[in-house]
Amino acid sequence: MKKAAVYTRTGDNGTTGLVGGTRITKSDSRIHLYGEVDELNSYIGLGLSQLDKSFDKTFLLQIQSILFDLGSNLACEQDKRAQFKLPQIKSSSIEKMENDIDQMDSSLAPLKNFILPGGDPAAAAFHVCRTVCRRIERQMVDFDESMPGEVPENALKFINRLSDYFFILSRYINFTKNVEETLWVPEV
């Protein structure tokens, strides 16, 4: 079997194809949105590469897969998603995330101040994931306002919860590594 070419040349004019074949400009808000989801997925990969081998990465790998599902849905018009049988974000994934947040948070000291992102390299990487996730959330709300019905079901809730997950995960990693968090102290 012949290996497929990495390049197609079909986007050389500044357009790209959606899953259903529709061509749109690469500057379209839809493209920005699923590009940001792809960026987040890459940052998760960076965070994963920083984790010790003893850390259970199973759920983070599931999150990466869910983000691919989300990207495929964003790359397809809502009325064509069923035709292509694109996987949807399940409520159970959000519930699993909430359970993991609660479990990790139960080990952590309550916050009385804001903390500065950083600490262990893995924790710092997941703080970056948190901020990229918040950017996606803002863009997703904007996209939903301009293209009603095009944001997949559960997507906004998943992304909102995911940023909380990354915040707690970052804190939890620092906790397990005995890395002290740096509190934000406003300059006066």
Side-chain angles (χ1 to χ4, degrees):
M1 177 163 54
K2 183 178 176 185
K3 186 175 179 180
V6 173
Y7 53 89
T8 62
R9 296 186 176 105
T10 58
D12 291 353
N13 65 352
T15 64
T16 191
L18 297 179
V19 172
T22 304
R23 305 265 334 148
I24 61 173
T25 178
K26 291 182 178 183
S27 65
D28 188 280
S29 61
R30 178 187 300 272
I31 306 305
H32 283 285
L33 185 55
Y34 73 71
E36 300 289 343
V37 171
D38 187 37
E39 180 182 350
L40 174 60
N41 217 336
S42 295
Y43 277 121
I44 294 170
L46 179 64
L48 282 163
S49 74
Q50 305 283 329
L51 290 171
D52 293 338
K53 291 180 181 177
S54 63
F55 191 93
D56 184 1
K57 301 171 179 81
T58 305
F59 189 56
L60 284 165
L61 294 170
Q62 288 173 350
I63 288 170
Q64 284 191 297
S65 182
I66 293 167
L67 289 173
F68 259 89
D69 295 344
L70 175 58
S72 69
N73 277 272
L74 291 169
C76 185
E77 296 100 327
Q78 187 276 332
D79 62 343
K80 295 181 180 178
R81 290 180 190 146
Q83 171 188 347
F84 291 100
K85 299 179 180 155
L86 298 177
Q88 302 301 303
I89 297 173
K90 298 176 186 148
S91 297
S92 59
S93 298
I94 298 167
E95 291 166 11
K96 164 76 170 121
M97 201 176 340
E98 290 172 346
N99 290 334
D100 281 10
I101 290 169
D102 293 343
Q103 183 179 10
M104 288 185 289
D105 194 39
S106 69
S107 303
L108 304 174
L111 278 179
K112 297 177 183 164
N113 299 78
F114 287 106
I115 59 168
L116 299 178
D120 181 82
F126 288 113
H127 272 296
V128 172
C129 291
R130 173 185 56 82
T131 61
V132 172
C133 205
R134 288 292 185 204
R135 181 179 353 128
I136 291 168
E137 183 179 23
R138 292 187 300 271
Q139 288 183 343
M140 192 174 286
V141 168
D142 186 53
F143 182 68
D144 189 50
E145 289 171 353
S146 66
M147 300 287 292
E150 288 295 315
V151 171
E153 185 178 358
N154 292 324
L156 193 55
K157 186 174 183 179
F158 177 81
I159 290 295
N160 183 41
R161 202 69 75 251
L162 187 57
S163 62
D164 297 332
Y165 176 83
F166 289 135
F167 177 71
I168 293 299
L169 177 61
S170 297
R171 292 196 68 217
Y172 184 74
I173 291 167
N174 280 332
F175 170 75
T176 60
K177 296 286 196 170
N178 294 314
V179 175
E180 190 173 329
E181 294 176 311
T182 304
L183 300 179
W184 173 58
V185 180
E187 298 291 324
V188 284

